[in-house]
Amino acid sequence: MKTRKHLKRMAKGDQLVVKATDPMSAIDIPHMCQEDGHVLIESKMVGDVRQFKIEC
């Protein structure tokens, strides 16, 4: 997953905004954050796109 690879290169405390059109991202992104120890700050719909704000 591209999000996971990008987060691995980031420093602790950095934030990443991910935009996804895949409906499964509503399940996959929070699950990845929990598994990898990241903080899901926000998850919201913006039109047809789900937007996640993740803290490393």
Side-chain angles (χ1 to χ4, degrees), residues 4 6 9 15 18-19 21 23 29 35-36 38 40-42 44 46 53 56:
R4 181 172 270 146
H6 193 79
R9 296 187 305 242
Q15 294 184 357
V18 176
K19 296 178 182 179
T21 56
I29 296 288
E35 280 186 337
D36 295 353
H38 304 298
L40 180 59
I41 297 171
E42 183 178 61
K44 66 180 179 181
V46 179
K53 185 184 285 187
C56 217

Side-chain angles (χ1 to χ4, degrees), residues 9-54:
R9 296 187 305 242
M10 295 173 64
K12 185 171 175 71
D14 286 350
Q15 294 184 357
L16 176 67
V17 174
V18 176
K19 296 178 182 179
T21 56
D22 179 358
M24 290 302 293
S25 67
I27 296 168
D28 294 340
I29 296 288
H31 182 72
M32 181 212 56
C33 289
Q34 186 177 14
E35 280 186 337
D36 295 353
H38 304 298
V39 178
L40 180 59
I41 297 171
E42 183 178 61
S43 173
K44 66 180 179 181
M45 289 298 293
V46 179
D48 293 338
V49 177
R50 181 162 300 275
Q51 185 170 298
F52 302 92
K53 185 184 285 187
I54 303 168

